[in-house]
Amino acid sequence: MKLKNKISLLIAGTLLSLAGLNLIIDSEATKNTGAILAITGVLTDIIVLVLFMKQEKWVNEV
């Protein structure tokens, strides 16, 4: 996976998290959808960061 793709996935995950938080705060009717979006965004960011660490071999240095 190229660096450009990873950065775009990080941005997309962050935007999903922010959109989910906005829906959670907005109203009672959209709380479940907002929670799903926020969790999806956070999980996307975590997966991409793990891929960064594996590629750069940060895990082996620690």
Side-chain angles (χ1 to χ4, degrees):
M1 187 178 261
K2 294 181 180 182
L3 180 65
K4 187 176 182 179
N5 293 342
K6 289 179 188 175
I7 291 173
S8 63
L9 278 175
L10 276 175
I11 292 170
T14 304
L15 291 176
L16 274 175
S17 298
L18 291 174
L21 289 175
N22 190 25
L23 287 175
I24 290 171
I25 293 171
D26 194 30
S27 70
E28 290 290 323
T30 59
K31 279 193 175 187
N32 290 338
T33 306
I36 291 171
L37 281 177
I39 289 172
T40 304
V42 170
L43 288 176
T44 303
D45 286 344
I46 290 172
I47 290 169
V48 172
L49 288 174
V50 167
L51 288 173
F52 268 133
M53 290 188 322
K54 281 187 176 182
Q55 183 181 7
E56 296 298 324
K57 297 185 175 131
W58 292 341
V59 177
N60 294 334
E61 293 177 8
V62 175

